[in-house]
Amino acid sequence: MYAYSTNSAGGNVPVVTTSYPDVGTWTAAGDALPTLPSWARDGLTWAPSVARRGSSYVLYFVARSKALNVQCIGVAVSASPAGPFVDSQSAPFVCQNDIGGSIDPSYIVSPDGTFFLIWKNDGNAINV
């Protein structure tokens, strides 16, 4: 099992692992997103969510856009759930700049297998 956290001294997206049945012992596995994409400012990397999509793993995360100065959602891909994940896009995946930005990505898979990414606007950043 893998668990991901908001940025800290441990990296942009620190990751820890554990194995069943000893789920009480977690081991630091490094930084799942060691390099931020070109559109993102250092720090303020939040709310990581990882989904297995076929033979790859996809990391959805929040980072502050250099160009827009709001929090936006990025997407990065890796062959391993531990990373390294790479976002090679020149712009955020989702960014609702007019309503404060986009934060807290998560996903659901419907019973028929359809994948949905869900998130919310960051209206509290602009008092809406």
Side-chain angles (χ1 to χ4, degrees), residues 4-51:
Y4 308 86
S5 70
T6 294
N7 72 296
S8 70
N12 295 315
V13 179
V15 59
V16 294
T17 64
T18 191
S19 297
Y20 182 81
D22 184 17
V23 295
T25 303
W26 291 85
T27 303
D31 188 352
L33 186 66
T35 304
L36 290 176
S38 62
W39 60 264
R41 183 181 302 156
D42 286 339
L44 302 175
T45 307
W46 301 344
S49 182
V50 175

Side-chain angles (χ1 to χ4, degrees), residues 30-116:
D31 188 352
L33 186 66
T35 304
L36 290 176
S38 62
W39 60 264
R41 183 181 302 156
D42 286 339
L44 302 175
T45 307
W46 301 344
S49 182
V50 175
R52 186 172 186 168
R53 304 293 312 264
S55 62
S56 296
Y57 294 86
V58 180
L59 166 68
Y60 299 95
F61 63 95
V62 173
R64 184 162 297 273
S65 166
K66 290 176 184 176
L68 301 172
N69 199 34
V70 296
Q71 294 291 89
C72 302
I73 297 171
V75 60
V77 179
S78 176
S80 166
F85 287 86
V86 175
D87 179 345
S88 58
Q89 303 302 309
S90 60
F93 182 63
V94 176
C95 197
Q96 298 163 294
N97 186 42
D98 57 332
I99 52 176
S102 303
I103 61 173
D104 299 338
S106 189
Y107 67 92
I108 58 172
V109 179
S110 70
D112 71 0
T114 303
F115 184 92
F116 295 93

